Amino acid sequence: MIRGTTQVLGVIGYPIEHSLSPIMHNAAIATLGVDYAYLPFAIAPHDLPTAVAGLWALGVQGFNVTIPHKQAIMPLLHEISPVAQAIGAVNTVYRTATGWGGTNTDAIGFLAPLKAMPRNWSTAHAVILGNGGAARAVVAGCAQLGCESITVVGRDAAKLNAFLHSWSDPHIAQRLSVKPWEALPTLLREATLLVNTTPVGMHPHDTDSPITDEEATLVPAGAIAYDLIYTPRPTRFLRQIQGATTLDGLEMLVQQGAAALELWLQQPVPVDVMRRSLEAHLSR
Ligand code: NAP
């Protein structure tokens, strides 16, 4: 129930109607019985500075940030965590004594299902398809796992080059390389962890995949195929790769949200409730 004492959390983006965050956060809030509500805010890019100041003035306790504001919000924050600085994007904003602070929980979300798998990550070769925003969190996550090599595959040489040179953390930079799409067959043969960070195969384009059927046969048995997409479940990409352990993007979505809610509430949150609320919503 919303009362005079209810504290507000939320998510800003443009558009925002598609966001699943209100569903999972409000499910967790209801289970915990805490006096909070999580709301969606559609904020056009030119309104961002006014809106961020307004959210502060309104006493909003914290908010998530989604497309197109993840980078644009950074100059408006008073502090930015090292992980958000490394990734170059903020997805979670919290109050500090002097102004908004920002962090990024996407790498935590990406890593959560991988950490549950016993592997010798120090010999792992990660191959990442796509070089957009999500790929940055995936690269940071793979470096945190300690992967021996991290190769980002993209279709635009200039963007790939900019991506390669955008990392200042030597722990990341020294294991990262970029390759054009044509190098994929060679890379797939060596891949231990193959991650799709492109939107190819996302609903309603369910029959698309970033790789061909022939390329899929090159992925070694025992590799992990990870698609950040969570609709459809499974994607064509995950169905193509035989003999691999497969992961879709739902757990990443849930875990990045759980990490944000834990930060705001400063208490453990019911991750299973958040997961089930999204599964129920997506299966409708
Ligand atoms: P983005 O910044 O737009 O990046 C998309 C990347 O995919 C770009 O590098 C783009 O290449 C590449 N790409 C697009 N179409 C392609 C094609 N036909 N062939 C090859 N490459 C192509 O998007 P994003 O924010 O990183 O999100 C990417 C995907 O991850 C989306 O499906 C999103 O839903 C998903 N995601 C999931 C989670 C989760 O929690 N599960 C979190 C974040 C994102 P160019 O740069 O050359 O255009």
Side-chain angles (χ1 to χ4, degrees):
M1 190 210 285
I2 294 181
R3 318 172 180 87
T5 50
T6 302
Q7 307 266 27
V8 177
L9 300 169
V11 55
I12 65 168
Y14 198 74
I16 201 63
E17 304 86 75
H18 67 280
S19 175
L20 301 179
S21 295
I23 293 167
M24 65 172 162
H25 284 284
N26 286 314
I29 286 167
T31 298
L32 289 169
V34 291
D35 192 9
Y36 280 82
Y38 184 104
L39 302 175
F41 297 106
I43 294 171
H46 68 272
D47 285 331
L48 186 65
T50 319
V52 168
L55 291 167
W56 178 270
L58 288 167
V60 166
Q61 290 302 299
F63 56 94
N64 286 125
V65 184
T66 188
I67 293 168
H69 302 314
K70 283 184 169 192
Q71 274 116 36
I73 197 162
M74 294 177 80
L76 306 172
L77 303 175
H78 195 254
E79 69 177 36
I80 297 174
S81 70
V83 67
Q85 254 154 18
I87 294 171
V90 161
N91 80 334
T92 301
V93 173
Y94 51 89
R95 289 184 90 90
T96 75
T98 48
W100 291 122
T103 189
N104 193 312
T105 63
D106 280 337
I108 297 175
F110 168 72
L111 285 178
L114 293 175
K115 281 189 168 164
M117 295 179 177
R119 286 281 196 293
N120 180 7
W121 294 108
S122 67
T123 58
H125 297 288
V127 175
I128 299 165
L129 308 178
N131 50 261
R136 300 193 66 82
V138 170
V139 165
C142 289
Q144 218 175 303
L145 278 178
C147 291
E148 186 178 339
S149 72
I150 305 169
T151 310
V152 169
V153 182
R155 58 182 177 175
D156 181 316
K159 283 187 189 171
L160 270 179
N161 199 39
F163 188 97
L164 179 66
H165 293 106
S166 65
W167 301 87
S168 52
D169 181 344
H171 181 71
I172 298 175
Q174 71 198 13
R175 58 194 78 211
L176 178 66
S177 59
V178 295
K179 292 277 189 235
W181 215 265
E182 297 71 52
L184 202 52
T186 312
L187 294 168
L188 290 180
R189 286 189 183 90
E190 302 293 320
T192 324
L193 171 63
L194 174 64
V195 189
N196 176 33
T197 78
T198 78
V200 182
M202 187 159 63
H203 186 71
H205 305 287
D206 302 26
T207 55
D208 291 354
S209 168
I211 62 172
T212 63
D213 288 342
E214 203 178 345
E215 286 168 340
T217 65
L218 302 175
V219 179
I224 299 169
Y226 194 155
D227 199 336
L228 299 202
I229 294 171
Y230 44 81
T231 48
R233 305 185 77 195
T235 55
R236 164 118 195 263
F237 171 75
L238 294 183
R239 284 188 282 113
Q240 276 175 312
I241 301 170
Q242 310 282 320
T245 303
T246 57
L247 291 170
D248 69 28
L250 192 72
E251 195 61 15
M252 174 174 173
L253 181 68
V254 169
Q255 297 280 352
Q256 62 77 29
L261 192 59
E262 234 170 67
L263 174 71
W264 296 321
L265 301 185
Q266 292 292 302
Q267 68 177 91
V269 300
V271 180
D272 51 335
V273 169
M274 299 175 84
R275 184 184 302 115
R276 281 202 305 272
S277 70
L278 291 190
E279 282 170 348
H281 176 81
L282 292 172
S283 65
R284 265 198 249 141

